[in-house]
Amino acid sequence: MERIGALVIGAGPAGLMAAEALGAAGIPAVIAEAKPSPARKFLMAGKSGLNLTKAEPFDSFLSAYAEAAHRLRPMLAAFGPDDVCAWAEGLGQPVFTGSTGRVFPRAMKASPLLRAWLRRLDGYGATLRPGWRWTGWDGGAVRFDTPEGARAVRPGVTILALGGASWARLGSDGRWTGALSGAGVPLAPFAPANAGLAVEWSAPMARQFGQPVKGVALRAGDGPWHRGEFVISAKGLEGGGIYALSRPLREGAPLMADLLPDWPLDKVVARLARPRGKASLTNHLRKALGLDPARLALLMEFGRPLPEGADLAALVKALPIAHSGPRPLDEAISTAGGVRWDAVDAGLMLTARPGTFLAGEMLDWEAPTGGYLITACLATGRWAGQAAARRLQAA
């Protein structure tokens, strides 16, 4: 039976930050990772530009986490957007803030940041064990399937940072739920967050697959109108404008689109009242309203048979978008659900298993894309790592 001081299970952002917090306290961590290499989802997120955090007032930032905000407040106050920026720059990766407040590394990739981070952890004496899949507990021992066969270790403290249940091929497969529920840990069911919508398109819509939809406002149920871009795909609708409404949409709220959010209704009515002549209705809508092919296709797809006059104008301003709910859980960028907050203490330690801490997306919180996800993973990882270090040092 191998005995170690600190064990971190999961080498995503939360787990690596927990290992960093332990290392900063003088405690070298053993990091067990089921995949052959660390931080696969982190690297995938960085392929289109790694959005680390969001530059905005703290209360606005915190509000993105909805009812979990009061739970996350101390962790984000201790390691919030400014701290994330300073941390990245301390790893030699300068950052910049885009026009919407999103913060990115100047390199616009995750790989340089990850390489520098792993070098820092190596300097702290951390050891990465790839291919080590956690299979549960045997009393005080932690069991793994490894490339060399079954292994067990007995750590002084353990931090679980195993992710949610989306993008299983990258490591977040949610298989840990069986071991935790078996240990009496209360769980909230997983649900897709930041997920696309499934739509059964008519054949003519195939011409629009891959086209971005810009200049549109969306509303879920009675909620506020929200500006954001999205993409028409073969499977439905994808993109930030849709992801921001994931929660009310998965709870059954109807989706509406304002195709001309900068125009008041009376302007749309006046433009539609212009003489049409011999122009087809499609050309009339295109010329009178300036609708591009993507928005025009959406109007035709969800509005036919089109009414006339003021009724058509009202449809342009509030077009019902028929859909079949969110795409499957594994296609979501992140997940809601996981370990309930009443299962952990203020230091994120499981009350059912003293000495075992949680971090990252395993906990029951969700947030939109835009830097909120990574920031909370880093903040909870740091918080759990510091709490674990205090426990180990006090033993």
Side-chain angles (χ1 to χ4, degrees):
M1 177 70 67
E2 180 185 11
R3 294 183 179 271
I4 60 176
L7 172 66
V8 176
I9 306 178
L16 294 180
M17 184 56 82
E20 179 174 334
L22 287 160
I27 301 169
V30 171
I31 308 168
E33 166 56 45
K35 293 295 183 179
S37 58
R40 291 193 166 196
K41 192 172 180 182
F42 182 71
L43 289 170
M44 178 64 76
K47 282 194 171 182
S48 57
L50 182 65
N51 185 189
L52 286 171
T53 192
K54 181 79 175 288
E56 62 183 342
F58 182 72
D59 285 344
S60 297
F61 186 87
L62 191 64
S63 69
Y65 300 93
E67 69 268 18
H70 73 287
R71 301 281 190 174
L72 292 167
R73 176 183 282 275
M75 302 162 212
L76 292 168
F79 197 80
D82 291 343
D83 303 288
V84 172
C85 295
W87 167 78
E89 293 188 337
L91 288 170
Q93 297 300 309
V95 300
F96 73 95
T97 303
S99 59
T100 61
R102 298 186 178 200
V103 178
F104 301 86
R106 290 200 180 277
M108 290 298 287
K109 294 179 181 179
S111 51
L113 178 62
L114 179 61
R115 286 194 295 269
W117 198 1
L118 293 175
R119 286 195 297 270
R120 174 180 287 181
L121 293 175
D122 185 62
Y124 283 141
T127 304
L128 178 65
R129 296 184 179 180
W132 277 50
R133 174 173 286 278
W134 179 56
T135 58
W137 292 286
D138 183 4
V142 184
R143 295 183 285 107
F144 294 91
D145 284 336
T146 81
E148 292 77 36
R151 293 283 299 275
V153 300
R154 188 177 292 272
V157 292
T158 301
I159 299 172
L160 300 178
L162 293 160
S166 64
W167 293 15
R169 64 189 177 87
L170 300 179
S172 297
D173 56 20
R175 286 167 58 178
W176 50 265
T177 56
L180 267 67
S181 62
V185 177
L187 305 176
F190 284 126
N194 295 297
L197 283 179
V199 178
E200 296 292 332
W201 300 113
S202 65
M205 284 298 293
R207 294 192 294 269
Q208 302 300 325
F209 293 168
Q211 292 301 309
V213 181
K214 303 179 180 181
V216 168
L218 298 170
R219 183 174 70 181
D222 296 327
W225 287 101
H226 166 81
R227 298 288 286 263
E229 296 182 11
F230 55 95
V231 174
I232 300 170
S233 76
K235 295 180 178 180
L237 299 174
E238 302 275 352
I242 298 295
Y243 301 157
L245 302 176
S246 284
R247 181 167 184 170
L249 292 175
R250 74 167 182 258
E251 292 174 351
L255 178 63
M256 306 287 285
D258 183 345
L259 302 181
L260 291 169
D262 295 323
W263 287 24
L265 178 62
D266 56 0
K267 180 176 179 179
V268 181
V269 171
R271 288 294 185 92
L272 289 174
R274 290 180 174 180
R276 175 174 157 185
K278 296 182 179 181
S280 66
L281 178 57
T282 299
N283 281 333
H284 181 59
L285 289 167
R286 179 175 56 81
K287 292 179 180 179
L289 302 182
L291 293 177
D292 55 54
R295 285 183 292 173
L296 190 55
L298 290 175
L299 179 60
M300 293 297 184
E301 181 73 6
F302 298 114
R304 288 180 299 181
L306 294 181
E308 298 181 358
D311 289 339
L312 178 55
L315 191 63
V316 170
K317 294 293 291 177
L319 178 67
I321 304 294
H323 61 86
S324 303
R327 295 291 306 161
L329 185 66
D330 192 49
E331 294 181 19
I333 291 176
S334 60
T335 49
V339 176
R340 285 175 20 192
W341 288 97
D342 57 2
V344 296
D345 67 9
L348 298 182
M349 185 176 72
L350 284 171
T351 55
R353 283 200 67 92
T356 298
F357 299 77
L358 301 185
E361 212 180 329
M362 290 183 73
L363 292 159
D364 183 18
W365 59 271
E366 65 176 304
T369 56
Y372 304 103
L373 296 170
I374 289 179
T375 298
C377 286
L378 295 173
T380 56
R382 181 176 181 269
W383 190 266
Q386 290 176 335
R390 290 191 297 268
R391 180 179 178 88
L392 198 58
Q393 290 165 339

